[in-house]
Amino acid sequence: MNIDRRRLLLSAAAAGLAGALPRLALAADGPVADPKLAALLDAFVDEMLAESPETATSLGLDVGARAGLKSQLSDASAAGRSAQVAAYAARRERLKAIDRGGLNAHDTTTYDTVVAAQELGAAGGEFSYGIDYANPYVVSQQNGAVSFVPEFLNSQHGINAKADADAYLSRLSAFAEVLDQENARIAADAAAGVVPPDFILATTLSQVEALRGQPAGDTRLVGSLVERAKAKGIEGDYATPASRIVADKVFPALDRQIAALKAIQPQAGHDAGVWRLPKGGDYYGWSLKVGTTTNLSAAEIHQMGLDQGAAIDAQMDAILKSQGMTQGTVGERMGALTKDPRFVYPNTDAGRAELLTYLRGRLAAIRPYMSKLSKLNLKAPVEVRPVPKEIEAGAALGYMNFASLDGSRPAIYYVNLADTGNWPRYTLSSLTMHEAIPGHAWQGAYLAERHDEIPTIASLMAFNAFIEGWALYAEQLADEVGLYKDDPFGRLGYFQALRFRAARLVVDTGLHDKRWSREQAIDWMTSATGRSKGAITSEVDRYCASPGQACGYKVGHSEILRLRAKAKQALGPKYDIRDFDDAVVTTGGCPLTVLSTVIDRYIAATKAA
């Protein structure tokens, strides 16, 4: 999933209504009892939304007293980053005014979750470079205004009235300002020795140049506004002012960004890992804490990937042999399947349309099983879209944006169709389980449909290992509930996806701790997983731009499985997988260390019932 990676623990995927909703506990089983804590958390929410206007818009919260946020974008300047780090530290200190020892169990969970978020964010202030969510480079192929703002305006900035269209124009002007804020930081970071690898710079430049290379009036920046305003019957000429802003403000700022990126190219080397940056080892240590919400070392994570990968290979080997594929390593046999024309969609518009139709069918196929996995009875609407062409070269292969809380927009499940060869059909069920149901879209649907059951602050924080760990666990649930009983290749695709996440542990730590080259990482991961070289290249480049994030999937998945086994053993006949799954989802998201306390409470309550 692609959480908005410009922000560390403030999620553009989920936000709550501060002050307008009942303040209930994380597990939906009791109110936040402490009035001082409740008031403080309300204040935090207002501050966090003001820091991130995009978050308010994403979930339809830019109304009423917050209507002004719809005309704004986040501050991307160095001063803005410093202010954000200071805000994390200040919130942490203000929490100390609350007597944790006097809180009930539910309030303590909330308190510990918020403290963990602020401490992780404040710790990033040790480093003078980078942006939130442990991205060391202000602009890369997947981070920065060019990769974020156009699609945000197109898919999340709603246009229902003239004020919305006018706010769009304001944000279009602000886009140029954000680009120049980034340009200043690109130069400052380069002066401090922080430059992306040459291959990251090349892809990033191609994306910026692609946007700049269009006539202003032909860009989606203009077309999206004009088409949606017309569809809503909003009177006025929006094509002319939008085209003028793009031509007179955005394009010159893009020219300056192209110049800024080209200016640092002579400094760019080919070394891939952050070990080469100032305090690079410490930076990666912090990145792993952010990505996994654990204290696991790079060496421990690397070995976990090797060990779990070998175990998954054994399961895949059995399935491959059952299908008559006996020769070569598991990776070699999977590599052959990746190219097998039985499973590959044509790399044409018709092939892409067929693939999208198949994804929608996979969504329909899992829904009847959900009553066996959860008692929440969520609706969880999901829209399937291709990644926009202008960013697909550097975008993740698949990701999801959570639904808005006001019901105006469903969850959006994106798949990168730059090359359909990256998506053999047998891989698509597991991808859909991860990104949509019962994965990210299901977890996000709880936040959207039952937001009166969690404290507001819980909906504003995104913990990578929890979110991605749940989604990977969701892939396993689909297998366990019987989705693949008549589909051995689909089940093989599930195991390949699991193997892929174990390989991420090895490759991410290999790049940033063991000083692997980009080529070494690509070759090792291609061999281990059997995925196409193009898909693996995109993945490895992603890990180079966002160190540590890819480790959250398997670490989170492993912890959820550990806690499930603990609950099953402790509860015996009282164990119900639906109750366990719901106990995880209804936290709203938390660090893995806090999740263990939630499950302990669930076990105790079930025993007592």
Side-chain angles (χ1 to χ4, degrees):
M1 173 194 180
N2 185 17
I3 307 169
D4 176 10
R5 305 198 189 287
R6 298 184 311 150
R7 287 175 287 280
L8 173 61
L9 296 160
L10 172 60
S11 172
L17 295 169
L21 302 175
R23 301 183 186 98
L24 300 185
L26 282 170
D29 54 2
V32 173
D34 189 274
K36 287 181 63 178
L37 178 61
L40 187 59
L41 296 185
D42 279 350
F44 284 4
V45 168
D46 283 333
E47 294 167 13
M48 294 162 77
L49 289 177
E51 291 171 8
S52 175
E54 298 93 333
T55 299
T57 292
S58 293
L59 277 296
L61 304 179
D62 50 0
V63 295
R66 299 198 189 99
L69 296 177
K70 192 159 191 173
S71 300
Q72 303 172 27
L73 296 176
S74 297
D75 185 347
S77 68
R81 179 183 183 273
S82 296
Q84 190 176 59
V85 169
Y88 283 126
R91 286 192 286 265
R92 178 189 58 193
E93 292 305 307
R94 288 154 68 192
L95 280 164
K96 291 182 179 180
I98 304 294
D99 177 14
R100 182 182 181 278
L103 300 176
N104 65 27
H106 306 149
D107 287 8
T108 300
T109 298
T110 306
Y111 180 95
D112 290 345
T113 297
V114 178
V115 166
Q118 307 317 307
E119 288 182 342
L120 281 170
E126 177 184 345
F127 311 101
S128 62
Y129 53 88
I131 51 179
D132 267 352
Y133 223 91
N135 294 312
Y137 312 115
V138 174
V139 176
S140 71
Q141 84 281 17
Q142 62 185 35
N143 303 310
V146 167
S147 64
F148 172 74
V149 172
E151 180 55 20
F152 165 76
L153 289 174
N154 179 55
S155 65
Q156 298 186 54
H157 181 108
I159 295 179
N160 297 296
K162 185 177 186 301
D164 300 330
D166 292 341
Y168 185 108
L169 291 175
S170 295
R171 275 184 161 156
L172 206 51
S173 291
F175 181 25
E177 297 170 14
V178 171
L179 286 166
D180 279 328
Q181 289 171 343
E182 291 176 343
N183 297 340
R185 291 183 63 191
I186 289 169
D189 282 356
V194 179
V195 176
D198 52 11
F199 51 91
I200 296 293
L201 269 181
T203 302
T204 305
L205 265 169
S206 71
Q207 291 174 309
V208 181
E209 289 172 339
L211 178 56
R212 177 61 181 89
Q214 305 171 57
D218 291 348
T219 62
R220 285 302 299 160
L221 291 167
V222 175
S224 177
L225 171 60
V226 172
E227 293 163 13
R228 291 189 290 149
K230 182 179 180 181
K232 290 293 183 179
I234 301 170
E235 295 183 0
D237 172 17
Y238 284 99
T240 299
S243 297
R244 186 180 300 118
I245 291 170
V246 172
D248 295 347
K249 294 184 178 181
V250 175
F251 277 2
L254 288 172
D255 288 336
R256 290 188 288 272
Q257 185 147 108
I258 291 168
L261 292 170
K262 287 184 175 179
I264 65 173
Q265 277 189 306
Q267 292 178 248
H270 197 64
D271 288 333
V274 295
W275 54 265
R276 62 192 170 78
L277 303 180
K279 297 184 179 179
D282 291 339
Y283 187 90
Y284 188 51
W286 174 65
S287 298
L288 289 177
K289 282 184 176 12
V290 172
T292 70
T293 57
T294 72
N295 291 314
L296 290 171
S297 68
E300 290 171 323
I301 291 172
H302 191 87
Q303 191 61 48
M304 178 189 293
L306 293 172
D307 294 343
Q308 294 195 12
I312 298 165
D313 277 347
Q315 294 172 293
M316 294 175 69
D317 180 55
I319 299 174
L320 286 163
K321 286 178 177 176
S322 75
Q323 299 303 307
M325 301 183 70
T326 61
Q327 301 300 311
T329 66
V330 168
E332 288 169 345
R333 282 174 280 173
M334 292 305 301
L337 274 180
T338 295
K339 302 171 185 175
D340 191 324
R342 290 179 297 168
F343 303 112
V344 179
Y345 290 92
N347 199 32
T348 62
D349 288 345
R352 294 181 182 92
E354 186 181 355
L355 191 155
L356 291 170
T357 298
Y358 184 76
L359 293 179
R360 296 181 183 107
R362 292 293 81 202
L363 265 172
I366 191 61
R367 286 190 183 275
Y369 292 100
M370 289 309 300
S371 62
K372 297 181 179 181
L373 300 174
S374 171
K375 297 177 180 178
L376 292 175
N377 195 30
L378 302 171
K379 296 176 183 176
V382 181
E383 181 179 327
V384 183
R385 293 186 187 180
V387 171
K389 286 188 175 297
E390 57 265 27
I391 63 171
E392 64 184 8
L397 294 178
Y399 58 91
M400 198 277 302
N401 287 337
F402 285 178
S404 62
L405 293 185
D406 63 0
S408 63
R409 179 179 51 77
I412 303 175
Y413 163 26
Y414 289 93
V415 61
N416 194 325
L417 298 181
D419 182 358
T420 57
N422 291 333
W423 293 120
R425 186 166 58 253
Y426 62 81
T427 67
L428 295 175
S429 283
S430 198
L431 175 71
T432 302
M433 304 309 113
H434 182 99
E435 300 295 347
I437 308 293
H440 290 319
W442 187 262
Q443 186 222 331
Y446 174 73
L447 296 170
E449 297 174 31
R450 307 279 282 276
H451 51 242
D452 58 343
E453 296 181 358
I454 57 175
T456 303
I457 196 72
S459 296
L460 278 171
M461 296 178 297
F463 295 91
N464 179 65
F466 176 92
I467 291 174
E468 301 298 358
W470 167 262
L472 187 51
Y473 172 65
E475 295 182 48
Q476 181 170 332
L477 288 176
D479 177 51
E480 292 174 343
V481 84
L483 184 69
Y484 304 116
K485 61 181 181 295
D486 299 317
D487 182 10
F489 285 105
R491 190 161 191 258
L492 191 62
Y494 151 64
F495 278 115
Q496 185 188 38
L498 204 62
R499 180 68 179 89
F500 183 58
R501 274 42 170 264
R504 281 176 166 173
L505 302 181
V506 178
V507 170
D508 197 277
T509 52
L511 287 164
H512 300 295
D513 182 64
K514 296 182 178 297
R515 304 191 177 194
W516 285 16
S517 69
R518 180 199 193 207
E519 290 70 27
Q520 182 181 359
I522 292 170
D523 290 346
W524 188 92
M525 199 170 192
T526 302
S527 175
T529 67
R531 295 287 297 271
S532 70
K533 192 165 186 177
I536 295 301
T537 299
S538 174
E539 282 290 316
V540 168
D541 288 358
R542 167 185 166 186
Y543 313 152
C544 293
S546 297
Q549 189 274 334
C551 296
Y553 298 72
K554 202 68 186 68
V555 171
H557 171 249
S558 298
E559 178 63 3
I560 291 173
L561 289 182
R562 184 189 74 82
L563 292 172
R564 187 175 75 166
K566 179 181 180 180
K568 191 171 184 178
Q569 181 178 16
L571 295 176
K574 286 191 170 184
Y575 173 78
D576 186 327
I577 190 171
R578 297 173 298 174
D579 293 331
F580 174 83
D581 292 347
D582 291 348
V584 175
V585 168
T586 57
T587 63
C590 60
L592 297 183
T593 49
V594 176
L595 182 61
S596 65
T597 68
V598 172
I599 298 305
D600 285 344
R601 192 170 71 233
Y602 146 72
I603 291 171
T606 304
K607 281 183 174 181

